[in-house]
Amino acid sequence: MNRFAALLDRLVYEPRRNGKIRLIADYFRHVPDPERGWALAALTGALSFRNAKPGLIRQLIAERTDPVLFALSYDYVGDLSETAALMWSTPPHGRNEEPPTLSAVIDAFATLGRGELPALLAGLMDRLDETGRWALLKLITGSLRIGVSARLAKTAVAALSEGTPQEVTPDAVELVWPGLSPPYEALFAWVEGRGAKPETADPAPFRPVMLAHGIEDADFAALNPASYRAEWKWDGIRVQAVRGHDPAGHVVTRLYSRTGEDISGAFPDLADALAFDGVVDGELLVLREGRVQSFNVLQQRLNRKSVTPKLIAEFPAHIRAYDLLVEAGEDLRDQPFDTRRSRLEQLVSRHDGGRLDLSPMIAFSSWEKLAEARADPAAHGAGGDAEAVEGVMLKRADSAYLPGRPKGPWWKWKHDPHSIDAVLMYAQRGHGKRSSFYSDYTFGVWTSEGELVPVGKAYFGFTDAELAEIDRFVRRNTVNRFGPVREVVHTLSEGLVLEVAFEGLARSTRHRSGLAMRFPRIARLRWDKPPAEADRLETLERLLKAEAPSPPEARSANSASSPQPEP
Amino acid sequence: MRPEDLLISTPQGLYSPAGDFHVDPTRPVPRAVITHGHSDHARAGHGAVLASRETLDIMAIRYGADFTRQRQPAAFGERVEVNGVGITLHPAGHILGSAQVAIDWKGMRIVASGDYKPGADPTCVPFEPMRCDVFISEATFGLPVFRHPDPAQETAKLLSSLELFPERAHLVGAYPLGKAQRVMALLRAAGHDRPIYLHGAMEKLTAYYAREGIALGEVRLTRDAKPAELAGNVIICPPGAMTDIWSRRFPDPVTAFASGWMRIRARARQNGVELPLIISDHADWDDLQHAILATGCQELWVTHGQEDALVHWALLAGMRARPLHLVGYGEEEAEAATATEGEAPGSGATGSGATGSGVEA
Ligand SMILES: [Zn+2]
């Protein structure tokens, strides 16, 4: 597994999506079956190692090192797995043994008996190099962070078909994926043009989701309102609900995030209630007494690790349906939107499991009328759910359901975001192409005591020209340096005011201001404005109260593993 | 007689009361013995400088011919007496011209090793362990987490990245004296025969290495190159220049960094490095132990770096050991680790005095 570890080590540092794909594809090209298949399983999260606790690593390393030297080293490195991997002294005989393959490691863990873990781990460590030991410890403690999604790994698999007569797209890999299991030999044979397309045996597979482009004012001129249908864009989690049956007739229900992650486990109440045969695209929302709750409320359910009956009762999950992809085995994705919509309306009206309703269409005759509806959803059909409306979706009446984000058939027209004027406080260098630019900004607003407190961080929204301007400002107005971070001048009279746009606010214990923004971005540079005239914290407090009428203690938004709403 | 009669640590650096000279002083002194040309050890303005011929040449390149009033070149193994105290230079294997200083007087011998590494390096004479009573060692990488891998393996990482990303320039941050030339030599040894491009701050020192007969292959300056010709090629620059405005001329480069610090992932990530290359000109943890034991010394003095861990080890090994708490050393690698902006041209620690890392003349 030294080769796989080297790949992980490289991925840790590679910021670019394309760079990651090339690195993974290169690994797949040079490593034979079944080793590469186990690597694919590890990258897509299809493997679950018997978890080792940090205590075990501590114990193993303590048996082999001087306590003072370990303490000094751990203090210096700051990461237990890495310290142990680096300090581990390989015994002389360890060098003569072949390093274990990833397959062998997985095998050993799968057949592990009670109490055998410490000896197994030590034996593997003896035979691996530093990077191999690091990767092994990260894998078995479940703390590997390499920024590779399952989708990205599958895209790298698809890349293997480049140059073969039959090119395979990432979506095609996605389609066959649910029926496959490690080490995926049939999949590799297919993408490399050596074998037939693997048959999916999964009764409830994921279908790649169709996404919309954001619409700009200039786009409307080219669009005919009569060719489009409009519906609300709900502020929840985009999901795909799939129900099917296996050859034995057992019904299988799955909920997928828009990236194809199976999130059924987090919503057993919803999965149990669904009673259709097909694939529904919709928005997952929390409804209480028939009313859609804000995203903040949904977030509270997402933040909980264990799904208890109390949680389910407090945060009942629903699906508001947008589209119907498959019904009773019939694939509707090639059909026009209007046809799919009427099939969906019939399906929902027949549905008696509850928890599923229809996202209503918005009647409009012109773009001006639609703009009115968008500005006031409550008066245009959204009623008491209006607060959960994030904007409007436009779908061409004849549009097929296509994977990805094709330009033209679907548009999203989001709410005008909130915006505030904030003062730039700190800037950090970016990564990849931006590593010579200060491109990550921490900004703050004034408290009533006249102190500037940070309220958020933004690293997009600006043009390349604006980036260059801010970068110049940062370099010329640095007052302090902390590694890659610079503090810039921010007094009442000196500093840079940024107009920051954002989608929403939530309470947060992570920021000193007690607030966290959703999707903050730099909307404009306000060179004209002195920092003294930037916004105050009270403004944000008021906004938060208006946004979330009764926010109970929001847990720190650790949503790394939770499904994300479509940005 | 105590070793302290022969050598003590002072705010200016190591000083011999018996011989009335300093070793690697951090401030101007009447008489200095210099171990090697890195700017934290070799400073301008001393009355007289005793050093290897190469170190004297390097100091003249960096500070100008008048960096001292009197140059006294010494060959390796040649014993010179200063006020009755014997001084002999021995190879340290750190960079071109680097030396350990053996000081003997009335039957006692102290070796001040400066910076050193026992590993193979085609750009300098290999380290030679010297028997002594007191050994003075640095401890830059004096923790058991530092075990440098085979540099050929690190070079292979760079070459395979060039192969995988042939449309991107590969920007390698390396200290301008020693590390830069060693990386070039490693690339050549691995069969890389394309031109290697250099930041202007490395021009004179690299030319000096070539004049000294160290084969580095075809070298070009980035300022003479069109951006398109840099695709798939290696560019070596001072670490500070990687995040400096200078680097913007290269479209979407892969940023590599050659340093022993790259062993620690948090250090590499902090600097935004995409391809860390663990190539060091300092002894690693195992090297330090072997080198110290090979001297047969009864007493170890540790100058700078991770002195706590090394002193702890030496005490366990039955030696007398203590840290000297010398300040002002270790900047050459520390500088690399923090990758400061290099916007202040000509700062001594960043590069050659004539061309700071940020300004490519
Ligand atoms: Zn040095």
Side-chain angles (χ1 to χ4, degrees), chain B residues 36-41 94-95 114-116 175 281-282 332:
Chain B
H36 67 289
H38 278 148
S39 49
D40 49 338
H41 294 259
H94 175 56
I95 60 166
D115 290 338
Y116 66 99
Y175 189 66
D281 285 333
H282 292 263
E332 131 233 347

Side-chain angles (χ1 to χ4, degrees), chain A residues 62-92:
Chain A
E63 286 165 8
R64 286 161 177 78
T65 52
D66 174 88
V68 173
L69 294 179
F70 171 74
L72 287 168
S73 297
Y74 186 24
D75 187 51
Y76 186 85
V77 176
D79 179 286
L80 180 64
S81 295
E82 190 175 340
T83 310
L86 292 175
M87 281 189 82
W88 197 271
S89 310
T90 26

Side-chain angles (χ1 to χ4, degrees), chain A residues 235-503:
Chain A
D235 192 9
I237 304 169
R238 181 87 178 272
V239 287
Q240 186 177 103
V242 186
R243 290 191 89 238
H245 34 258
D246 62 16
H250 293 294
V251 175
V252 177
T253 307
R254 290 218 186 87
L255 296 170
Y256 293 101
S257 74
R258 70 188 182 103
T259 55
E261 244 178 284
D262 186 346
I263 54 169
S264 320
F267 302 97
D269 49 330
L270 181 55
D272 285 350
L274 297 176
F276 55 82
D277 178 0
V279 180
V280 167
D281 180 353
E283 197 82 13
L284 191 148
L285 301 163
V286 166
L287 261 68
R288 286 175 181 159
E289 283 146 20
R291 289 276 80 97
V292 179
Q293 304 298 300
S294 75
F295 187 81
N296 282 337
V297 176
L298 175 56
Q299 185 77 46
Q300 289 166 45
R301 172 156 180 177
L302 296 176
N303 284 341
R304 303 299 163 87
K305 280 229 167 68
S306 56
V307 184
T308 60
K310 181 167 173 286
L311 184 73
I312 288 171
E314 232 181 296
F315 302 92
H318 289 247
I319 290 179
R320 190 148 278 189
Y322 293 134
D323 213 325
L324 183 62
L325 280 56
V326 176
E327 188 179 18
E330 184 191 353
D331 196 327
L332 302 174
R333 285 176 291 178
D334 294 338
Q335 305 280 323
F337 175 78
D338 277 354
T339 309
R340 296 199 309 275
R341 173 74 192 187
S342 63
R343 294 278 292 264
L344 176 69
E345 286 172 5
Q346 291 164 35
L347 180 141
V348 172
S349 69
R350 284 196 312 270
H351 191 262
D352 54 9
R355 306 283 190 123
L356 179 71
D357 64 6
L358 205 56
S359 180
M361 305 300 284
I362 311 164
F364 69 102
S365 52
S366 66
W367 297 130
E368 289 71 32
K369 289 281 175 209
L370 186 59
E372 275 173 34
R374 177 172 155 274
D376 187 6
H380 292 80
D385 291 342
E387 285 201 3
V389 168
E390 214 194 348
V392 162
M393 294 293 303
L394 292 173
K395 298 180 176 176
R396 220 171 54 211
D398 62 356
S399 56
Y401 194 96
L402 302 168
R405 206 186 289 272
K407 191 146 191 178
W410 285 15
W411 300 94
K412 59 182 174 200
W413 190 11
K414 303 236 284 190
H415 262 326
D416 289 331
H418 306 293
S419 80
I420 52 153
D421 288 335
V423 184
L424 178 63
M425 298 177 71
Y426 304 95
Q428 183 169 357
R429 279 201 311 272
H431 291 280
K433 279 188 182 184
R434 284 185 176 175
S435 58
S436 73
F437 287 95
Y438 285 88
S439 61
D440 297 11
Y441 310 115
T442 302
F443 46 83
V445 294
W446 300 104
T447 64
S448 47
E449 286 86 46
E451 190 200 355
L452 213 48
V453 282
V455 289
K457 257 186 138 171
Y459 45 91
F460 64 99
F462 37 79
T463 63
D464 286 352
E466 285 172 331
L467 173 61
E469 285 176 45
I470 307 176
D471 182 79
R472 209 172 310 128
F473 173 84
V474 169
R475 289 175 189 272
R476 288 185 185 163
N477 293 283
T478 300
V479 293
N480 251 319
R481 297 180 189 208
F482 315 94
V485 176
R486 287 186 177 201
E487 180 175 8
V488 297
V489 63
H490 48 80
T491 64
L492 286 170
S493 57
E494 276 184 289
L496 172 57
V497 176
L498 305 168
E499 185 181 317
V500 178
F502 56 99
E503 296 302 319

Side-chain angles (χ1 to χ4, degrees), chain A residues 9-10 12-13 16 22-23 66 73 76 82 86 134 429 432-433 436-438 471 475 481 486, chain B residues 144 147 161 164-165 167-168 243 247-248 252-253 261 263 265 267 269 274 276 312 341 343:
Chain A
D9 195 32
R10 193 76 165 79
V12 163
Y13 298 107
R16 295 165 188 78
R22 292 253 286 271
L23 287 165
D66 174 88
S73 297
Y76 186 85
E82 190 175 340
L86 292 175
W134 164 79
R429 279 201 311 272
K433 279 188 182 184
S436 73
F437 287 95
Y438 285 88
D471 182 79
R475 289 175 189 272
R481 297 180 189 208
R486 287 186 177 201
Chain B
R147 289 198 174 86
S161 182
L164 193 59
F165 299 103
E167 77 287 6
R168 292 165 68 183
T243 52
S247 71
R248 289 188 193 160
D252 197 20
W261 296 115
R263 184 47 108 183
R265 287 179 172 78
R267 291 295 277 266
R269 258 200 301 269
E274 294 159 22
H312 175 78
E341 303 292 325
E343 279 174 343

Side-chain angles (χ1 to χ4, degrees), chain B residues 139-305:
Chain B
T140 305
F141 294 113
L143 276 176
V145 292
F146 291 109
R147 289 198 174 86
H148 305 324
D150 180 354
Q153 175 193 319
E154 300 301 293
T155 315
K157 272 197 221 168
L158 177 58
L159 292 177
S160 70
S161 182
L162 278 169
E163 208 173 298
L164 193 59
F165 299 103
E167 77 287 6
R168 292 165 68 183
H170 283 56
L171 205 53
V172 182
Y175 189 66
L177 169 60
K179 186 66 65 61
Q181 295 77 21
R182 182 161 177 231
V183 168
M184 290 182 232
L186 284 165
L187 282 167
R188 296 314 185 200
H192 180 73
D193 52 11
R194 308 190 61 170
I196 294 173
Y197 292 81
L198 290 186
H199 184 283
M202 296 166 168
E203 179 181 4
K204 287 182 185 161
L205 290 165
T206 303
Y208 176 70
Y209 267 62
R211 283 202 301 280
E212 287 295 303
I214 295 152
L216 300 174
E218 188 186 351
V219 167
R220 295 182 187 170
L221 290 173
T222 51
R223 65 165 177 259
D224 302 332
K226 294 191 180 60
E229 95 183 62
L230 298 168
N233 280 315
V234 172
I235 304 169
I236 303 181
C237 68
M242 281 199 300
T243 52
D244 189 55
I245 295 162
W246 172 83
S247 71
R248 289 188 193 160
R249 74 186 71 179
F250 314 112
D252 197 20
V254 173
T255 54
F257 193 167
S259 165
W261 296 115
M262 293 298 103
R263 184 47 108 183
I264 309 297
R265 287 179 172 78
R267 291 295 277 266
R269 258 200 301 269
Q270 202 177 28
N271 290 295
V273 175
E274 294 159 22
L275 185 60
L277 304 172
I278 310 164
I279 301 175
S280 173
D281 285 333
H282 292 263
D284 70 8
W285 177 249
D286 293 334
D287 292 337
L288 288 168
Q289 298 182 9
H290 293 144
I292 292 164
L293 293 173
T295 65
C297 66
Q298 293 98 50
E299 189 160 343
L300 174 72
W301 295 352
V302 183
T303 55
H304 61 279

Side-chain angles (χ1 to χ4, degrees), chain B residues 1 6 79 84 103-110 132-133:
Chain B
M1 193 191 91
L6 181 52
R79 188 171 179 279
I103 300 163
D104 67 275
W105 187 55
K106 298 183 179 170
M108 166 168 291
R109 179 140 77 155
I110 301 181
C132 57
D133 303 295

